[in-house]
């Protein structure tokens, strides 16, 4: 074995480099803040911002899992995201049509598998495509919440909580990374506590003294969102712990940063819809 081959073999056994802790938190906070600003303008403006995030989400997820046939999978999931957003906008915020979008996407995903050249790992490819579809379509629920009565305030509060939790949690991890939340994680218990507290406070501040989500409602909504984005952030971090620095995982490693930025939002949207509708009821 040559020196170069020995070096490559040793590198393949080393853990993959993790994205910068503070950059992940800052980027996630900027995404939530930008969507909150769009939500304050109109449902259509929010839908445009959500669609951009959906595209990044699909690309990042398919790369993170190294999905076979990811080109066609991206087309299927991106198309489902566009249709889901349009269905919500044209049905006055109802989400009942999203199940039909996913059902049609399943049929299109099967067609994609039949048309693939040199079909290999078909089950894995179809499963990855469907997960990407569900993640993208579920993000449209944030648009549905915006269109509900009092939904503008609820969406802004949820996104403020998400931004605060992501920023504060990662800052806490930078200062006090231990004790870790799980083996191999860069996330620590102090950062989680910090995220939950700051997320709730950010929600209360965004809700104000009056309005449909003011006071205790805003705090509870913020706490639910802070816990959700922290869980999504931890999931990406634990996934990164399994990767190595070798060529085999190069594609997945390159997706860690974008996935870390948008996957917490994918978890935020459906929880925001359910919790928001409960608070607004």
């Amino acid at each position: 074995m040559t020196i170069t081959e020995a070096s490559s073999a040793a590198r393949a056994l080393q853990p993959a480099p993790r994205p910068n802790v503070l950059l992940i938190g800052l980027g996630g906070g900027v995404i939530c803040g930008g969507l909150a600003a769009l939500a304050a303008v109109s449902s259509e403006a929010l839908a445009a911002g959500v669609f951009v995030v959906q595209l990044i989400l699909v690309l990042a997820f398919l790369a993170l899992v190294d999905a076979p046939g990811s080109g066609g999978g991206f087309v299927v999931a991106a198309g489902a995201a566009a249709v889901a957003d349009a269905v919500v906008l044209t049905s006055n915020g109802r989400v009942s049509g999203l199940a039909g979008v996913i059902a049609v996407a399943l049929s299109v995903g099967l067609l994609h598998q039949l048309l693939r050249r040199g079909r290999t790992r078909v089950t894995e490819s179809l499963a990855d495509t469907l997960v990407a579809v569900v993640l993208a379509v579920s993000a449209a629920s944030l648009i549905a919440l915006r269109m509900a009565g009092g939904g503008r305030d609820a969406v802004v509060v949820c996104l403020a909580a998400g931004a605060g939790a992501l920023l504060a949690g990662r800052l806490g991890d930078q200062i006090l990374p231990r004790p870790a939340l799980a083996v191999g994680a860069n996330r620590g218990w102090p950062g989680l506590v910090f995220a939950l507290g700051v997320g709730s406070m950010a929600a209360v501040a965004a809700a104000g003294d009056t309005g449909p989500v003011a006071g205790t409602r805003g705090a509870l909504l913020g706490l639910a969102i802070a816990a959700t984005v922290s869980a999504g952030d931890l999931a990406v971090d634990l996934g990164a712990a399994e990767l190595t620095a070798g060529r085999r995982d190069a594609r997945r490693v390159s997706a860690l940063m974008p996935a870390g930025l948008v996957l917490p939002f994918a978890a935020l949207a459906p929880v925001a819809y359910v919790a928001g509708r409960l608070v607004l009821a």
Side-chain angles (χ1 to χ4, degrees):
M1 180 181 293
T2 65
I3 296 178
T4 302
E5 291 174 337
S7 177
S8 298
R11 179 176 172 80
L13 298 176
Q14 296 176 356
R18 305 285 187 89
N20 183 273
V21 169
L22 292 180
L23 283 180
I24 286 283
L26 180 60
V30 168
I31 290 173
C32 289
L35 291 175
L38 292 174
V41 175
S42 67
S43 298
E44 291 75 14
L46 176 62
V50 166
F51 183 63
V52 173
V53 175
Q54 286 169 317
L55 294 180
I56 299 172
L57 172 64
V58 171
L59 282 171
F61 173 78
L62 293 175
L64 186 63
V65 299
D66 196 17
S70 56
F74 170 76
V75 173
V76 174
V83 173
D85 296 347
V87 166
V88 171
L89 285 173
T90 56
S91 62
N92 297 319
R94 289 192 294 272
V95 296
S96 55
L98 297 183
V101 174
I102 294 175
V104 172
L106 170 61
S107 300
V108 177
L110 289 171
L111 178 61
H112 163 237
Q113 297 304 320
L114 293 174
L115 296 177
R116 280 180 61 196
R117 294 182 178 179
R119 287 189 297 274
T120 58
R121 301 160 64 191
V122 172
T123 302
E124 181 182 353
S125 176
L126 180 60
D128 290 339
T129 299
L130 288 180
V131 173
V133 166
V134 172
L135 288 173
V137 170
S138 65
S141 57
L142 195 68
I143 306 168
L145 177 60
R146 171 62 177 80
M147 300 180 72
R152 174 185 175 277
D153 291 343
V155 169
V156 170
V157 165
C158 288
L159 290 171
L166 290 171
L167 286 168
R170 285 298 187 168
L171 181 60
D173 294 334
Q174 180 74 14
I175 299 172
L176 291 172
R178 296 290 181 272
L181 284 170
V183 177
N186 276 350
R187 302 298 317 271
W189 282 103
L192 175 62
V193 173
F194 199 26
L196 296 178
V198 173
S200 299
M201 290 188 289
V204 171
D209 298 327
T210 60
V213 289
T216 305
R217 291 185 174 187
L220 292 175
L221 191 56
L223 182 61
I225 295 303
T228 300
V229 296
S230 296
D233 197 18
L234 176 62
V236 177
D237 190 59
L238 290 177
E242 301 177 358
L243 304 182
T244 63
R247 290 183 179 180
R248 185 191 66 177
D249 292 334
R251 182 188 181 197
R252 301 176 68 188
V253 172
S254 66
L256 285 175
M257 175 62 82
L261 294 177
V262 295
L263 277 177
F265 168 78
L268 177 154
V271 173
Y273 176 79
V274 174
R277 291 306 296 262
L278 289 173
V279 168
L280 294 172

